[in-house]
Amino acid sequence: MSTSTLLAVLIPVVVVLVLAGIAAWMYQRRRRLQERFGPEYERTVEHTGSKHAADAELRDREARHDNLDIRELPAAERHRYADAWTSVQQRFVDRPEGAVAQADELVTRLMRDRGYPTEGYEQQVRELSVEHGRTLEHYRAAHEVNIRSSSGQATTEELRGAMVHYRALFDELVGTTR
């Protein structure tokens, strides 16, 4: 076999193998993002308009998150937060709207004490999505009810649901180890 014939066969084979390797690498990277972010992955795809843009956005979130100083709470702080949550739940009976607002404040304080930025809701969601993507829908639902509650537009059942949603994120943040 001549050198030119051998090159004519080998070059396309190498190109195909390289392209297959790149495709496999990209597929694995996307799968890792989908597994890590859970439902937040599809939400980001919908928001950005493409999987490529969503992948880039979520990788950016991971990079920002890696620069945060997220810490586990010491046992004493976990107990203090658990007691505070119990207190908020007890207030629900007499003042559901106030209890939901307090639950929101407590979760925000907990995020701050763990090391998450708390400047605004959208930033909170972005930063939480990296480690808590599967619980984020609870936070979104609770936050929406809290906003409607502040203008008197939430039913008691919706407020009860918001407490359940806040509790899901609260439990994860209090009990999560890094």
Side-chain angles (χ1 to χ4, degrees):
M1 198 179 247
S2 73
T3 303
S4 61
T5 306
L6 188 58
L7 287 175
V9 170
L10 284 178
I11 289 175
V13 168
V14 169
V15 168
V16 167
L17 288 175
V18 167
L19 290 175
I22 291 171
W25 175 75
M26 290 176 68
Y27 174 78
Q28 284 298 92
R29 193 165 74 161
R30 179 168 287 154
R31 289 291 301 158
R32 186 189 64 74
L33 287 172
Q34 289 170 331
E35 289 171 9
R36 181 168 196 180
F37 285 90
E40 184 65 11
Y41 182 85
E42 289 304 321
R43 183 186 256 302
T44 306
V45 168
E46 186 177 311
H47 177 73
T48 61
S50 75
K51 287 187 176 188
H52 179 72
D55 291 352
E57 163 68 21
L58 296 175
R59 283 192 307 274
D60 285 347
R61 289 184 195 184
E62 286 179 322
R64 280 192 315 271
H65 185 271
D66 289 344
N67 291 323
L68 298 175
D69 186 23
I70 307 298
R71 68 182 188 89
E72 182 179 345
L73 293 175
E77 281 188 66
R78 284 195 310 269
H79 292 299
R80 183 176 53 84
Y81 271 107
D83 291 344
W85 181 264
T86 300
S87 201
V88 168
Q89 280 184 305
Q90 290 170 346
R91 286 187 211 114
F92 184 83
V93 175
D94 295 325
R95 293 196 54 237
E97 297 89 356
V100 168
Q102 288 173 336
D104 183 75
E105 292 167 10
L106 184 61
V107 167
T108 300
R109 238 182 9 254
L110 175 55
M111 284 187 270
R112 184 189 62 239
D113 287 353
R114 289 280 317 271
Y116 289 99
T118 57
E119 287 80 43
Y121 172 73
E122 289 302 322
Q123 182 181 12
Q124 290 172 355
V125 168
R126 280 191 306 273
E127 302 303 341
L128 286 171
S129 70
V130 177
E131 288 188 19
H132 307 283
R134 298 190 185 284
T135 313
L136 219 45
E137 285 306 309
H138 288 289
Y139 186 48
R140 281 191 174 99
H143 183 76
E144 174 62 30
V145 172
N146 186 35
I147 288 172
R148 289 190 301 105
S149 172
S150 65
S151 60
Q153 298 177 352
T155 68
T156 303
E157 186 58 27
E158 289 171 324
L159 294 168
R160 186 198 63 74
M163 291 296 288
V164 170
H165 290 307
Y166 276 126
R167 180 64 190 244
L169 179 59
F170 177 86
D171 285 344
E172 194 168 298
L173 286 169
V174 166
T176 298
T177 57
R178 187 155 200 255

